[in-house]
Amino acid sequence: MGTTLCCITIEVSDWISIAGIIINSVLAVWIVKTIQNRLTNKRVLKDHFITEIKEIRTEYRCFLNDLYTSKKTAKSILPWFKLMNIKVNDVLNLINEKYKTDKTILNPYQNQLRELITENEDFISQFKNDEPIEFSEESKTQIIKFQQDNSHLFNKIIVQINDEK
């Protein structure tokens, strides 16, 4: 009771097997595409957050370099810190929500650095003038020490994002 096709007889069980192969193939393609899309979406999101962290790191580096080379005025520093705090808090809250990272990890940049700069005698004495701040060698050394002690925090966030499954 089979079907004859070009001198080949195909039984009902053969048709069932062929249908099974086709269904399994369609399911395999669908599963692979679904999983691949999910993994791609996760990677894209991770890459986005990593790019945001790298941009924040670059902004802090440029800021510190500008301070070190006397390219910043005292009056421009406070608004810059406020804007950076908004940006950092926004990004870290989202990263914490998605990857359960420590949203206070950049507090040294948000608080200690601000205090290091704004409570510095050079900053205070030159605040009235709207000219670039000239930091003493001692102050510059403190700024460099701050960078040495805290620059790893950005990489720590990136590693935590990448480690999340």
Side-chain angles (χ1 to χ4, degrees), residues 24-83:
N24 284 337
S25 298
V26 169
L27 280 173
V29 167
W30 177 76
I31 289 170
V32 167
K33 283 190 173 197
T34 301
I35 290 172
Q36 188 174 19
N37 283 342
R38 285 186 185 155
L39 290 174
T40 300
N41 288 343
K42 283 183 178 181
R43 185 72 247 164
V44 167
L45 186 59
K46 285 181 177 185
D47 289 343
H48 167 72
F49 284 130
I50 289 169
T51 300
E52 289 287 320
I53 294 300
K54 287 179 180 179
E55 287 176 8
I56 290 169
R57 176 178 57 194
T58 300
E59 287 184 54
Y60 274 111
R61 282 182 179 165
C62 290
F63 173 76
L64 291 169
N65 186 51
D66 286 349
L67 282 178
Y68 193 81
T69 58
S70 302
K71 293 181 182 174
K72 288 280 185 193
T73 63
K75 290 184 180 183
S76 70
I77 290 174
L78 293 175
W80 186 89
F81 273 117
K82 287 178 184 176
L83 291 173

Side-chain angles (χ1 to χ4, degrees), residues 70-128:
S70 302
K71 293 181 182 174
K72 288 280 185 193
T73 63
K75 290 184 180 183
S76 70
I77 290 174
L78 293 175
W80 186 89
F81 273 117
K82 287 178 184 176
L83 291 173
M84 281 305 291
N85 281 344
I86 292 167
K87 184 175 187 174
V88 168
N89 286 337
D90 180 50
V91 171
L92 289 181
N93 282 334
L94 290 171
I95 292 172
N96 171 266
E97 220 175 89
K98 185 69 179 167
Y99 303 110
K100 307 299 181 227
T101 59
D102 179 8
K103 59 184 174 182
T104 64
I105 193 168
L106 291 180
N107 274 357
Y109 280 89
Q110 294 179 283
N111 298 318
Q112 292 173 8
L113 179 61
R114 185 187 66 238
E115 289 172 13
L116 176 69
I117 303 302
T118 59
E119 293 177 8
N120 182 287
E121 288 300 320
D122 300 324
F123 177 87
I124 293 168
S125 67
Q126 298 176 48
F127 189 81
K128 293 174 195 158

